[in-house]
Amino acid sequence: MKPGEFGWDARFVHVRARSLELAAPLSAEDCGAQSMPDASPIKWHLAHTTWFFETFILERFEPAFRPFHPLFRTLFNSYYNGVGERHPRPRRGLLTRPALDEVLAYRADVDERMELLLAARGTEPELARLVTLGLQHEQQHQELMLTDVKHLLSCNPLAPAYNGAPLPRWPQAEPVRWIACAGGVCAIGHAGDGFCFDNELPRHRQFVEPFALASRLVTNGEYLAFIDAGGYDDARLWLAEGWDLVRAEGWRQPLYWRRSEDGGWHEFTLHGLQPLDLERPAVHLSLFEAEAYAQWAGARLPTEAEWEHAASSIKADQMHGAAWQWTSSSYGPYPGFVPAEGTIGEYNGKFMVNQYVLRGSSCATPPGHARDSYRNFFPAHARWQFSGIRLARHGA
């Protein structure tokens, strides 16, 4: 949404309210716990997204600015060195203070001040740009809230459900078709006037050899066949670092799969522990598992350029909204990439090392947040995101 358009203030209110809706099913104890260093407590997500608006917008644009709490600048800074000191990420779960109620009061205070600022100056281009970035940033954290709380609840032997509603069964998967994609020079990166993150720019040309893309994602049933065939026991299928993890961590199945005493399979979901749905796309897989499955299946993972080219030129199922899809592409800058000026330029650029690109979006991605040029990225061992597999082949 552009400055001056109808509903600008309503957009802010809607996104901010959605974070509270996601936290509503949780207890204060749920919101304060941290299950691993890569995940953050829900309370921290609620505070950090508020910190973003206070630090990058109110501090700059609000007359007579005063922080809600001076020390929140340090407690809820994620990785912005230009802002100052940060509380260590692995120790966010130790922040029993401020209490959840105070974090909610912090959100309410900043929201009120932001709404006054938007009413007075919301059409100013620079303010509008930063507010848009703040809302997109909050939507990223809304997805992380779901993935992080899922990991947290999975650690509980009671296997509690985040969502008490029944989990719908997935429709029967259609047989995989291989969709031919012509090679040649294609345009990659964001186009148009809509929002994008800096790592989606600049749009540039890239040569792609002819290839074929699978018409849908790999299902639980298909991944189960890989397990039953000894996929986790065959070193030939695995990248060396992945094989080391298989042995060191005892990986035998996707992160949230559980084998019952009778030999059947269940999967921990946001709806609690459920019988494994063989038709549902397989998720919570690392790049290493995706690569090993692709080797076993006689295929490979697409490059990110192939994925984006296919997304804009062919009709394939589940490109968005089911699972993030690993690519074989390392996360790096596009030709001509220039980070934004100032501290806000730390948003993406400094993470362009030792990570791989995922494309599409997942079932946890907020509606309207995805686009074909979106570049998600995680290290190769990451499993707690809704990450799945789409296969590719050389040649059309």
Side-chain angles (χ1 to χ4, degrees), residues 27-332:
S27 67
E29 292 82 1
D30 291 330
C31 290
Q34 181 178 17
S35 56
M36 63 170 175
D38 284 339
S40 297
I42 297 301
K43 182 174 72 174
W44 187 91
H45 285 296
L46 294 174
H48 168 69
T49 49
T50 303
W51 170 96
F52 191 97
F53 287 106
E54 183 181 52
T55 302
F56 291 116
I57 298 175
L58 290 179
E59 187 172 318
R60 177 175 171 181
F61 291 97
E62 184 182 47
F65 168 81
R66 292 184 63 183
F68 180 85
H69 192 301
L71 291 182
F72 284 8
R73 185 181 178 87
T74 297
L75 284 185
F76 301 120
N77 181 3
S78 55
Y79 51 72
Y80 294 93
N81 295 311
V83 172
E85 295 297 318
R86 298 164 293 155
H87 185 77
R89 180 176 181 175
R91 302 175 63 187
R92 290 170 182 170
L94 300 179
L95 296 175
T96 58
R97 308 289 176 88
L100 178 60
D101 285 347
E102 187 173 357
V103 167
L104 296 178
Y106 178 38
R107 286 185 67 91
D109 177 81
V110 168
D111 284 354
E112 181 179 358
R113 293 155 62 193
M114 280 294 304
E115 289 172 33
L116 290 172
L117 181 63
L118 287 173
R121 303 175 58 181
T123 59
E124 295 180 18
E126 180 62 10
L127 174 60
R129 183 185 71 84
L130 289 172
V131 173
T132 299
L133 178 61
L135 295 177
Q136 295 284 333
H137 166 261
E138 181 136 0
Q139 287 185 307
Q140 288 183 313
H141 278 270
Q142 289 168 356
E143 181 160 359
L144 289 171
M145 288 170 69
L146 291 174
T147 55
D148 290 0
V149 79
K150 182 175 182 178
H151 188 271
L152 173 69
L153 296 178
S154 77
C155 298
N156 190 324
L158 298 176
Y162 166 81
N163 186 337
L167 178 65
R169 299 292 294 178
W170 200 267
Q172 184 174 356
E174 296 289 335
V176 171
R177 295 177 293 106
W178 290 99
I179 306 174
C181 299
V185 177
C186 56
I188 300 297
H190 187 261
D193 296 329
F195 174 83
C196 72
F197 290 110
D198 58 0
N199 64 358
E200 300 171 54
L201 294 171
R203 190 166 174 84
H204 60 285
R205 295 174 299 170
Q206 190 160 340
F207 182 79
V208 174
E209 294 284 355
F211 67 101
L213 194 73
S215 58
R216 59 164 173 78
L217 302 180
V218 171
T219 66
N220 284 334
E222 290 164 337
Y223 198 85
L224 181 58
F226 165 75
I227 296 173
D228 290 342
Y232 282 88
D233 298 310
D234 189 347
R236 297 171 300 174
L237 300 174
W238 295 80
L239 296 170
E241 186 177 337
W243 182 244
D244 290 343
L245 277 173
V246 167
R247 294 187 296 170
E249 302 294 332
W251 288 0
R252 307 299 300 171
Q253 66 273 327
L255 178 61
Y256 294 125
W257 287 24
R258 309 283 187 263
R259 192 190 289 271
S260 57
E261 293 182 0
D262 64 3
W265 287 98
H266 287 73
E267 182 177 18
F268 183 79
T269 74
L270 289 170
H271 299 256
L273 196 63
Q274 301 285 330
L276 185 67
D277 186 342
L278 299 181
E279 307 298 326
R280 188 175 292 274
V283 291
H284 299 294
L285 297 165
S286 66
L287 172 74
F288 296 128
E289 290 163 300
E291 284 274 8
Y293 179 89
Q295 287 286 330
W296 175 79
R300 62 176 177 83
L301 301 181
T303 68
E304 68 165 322
E306 288 173 336
W307 192 98
E308 185 173 333
H309 177 53
S312 64
S313 61
I314 66 171
K315 181 173 176 54
D317 293 333
Q318 301 168 344
M319 297 298 277
H320 292 284
W324 288 104
Q325 296 153 52
W326 285 108
T327 74
S328 61
S329 298
S330 297
Y331 178 54

Side-chain angles (χ1 to χ4, degrees), residues 327-346:
T327 74
S328 61
S329 298
S330 297
Y331 178 54
Y334 284 160
F337 170 77
V338 178
E341 294 184 2
T343 302
I344 205 73
E346 297 185 47

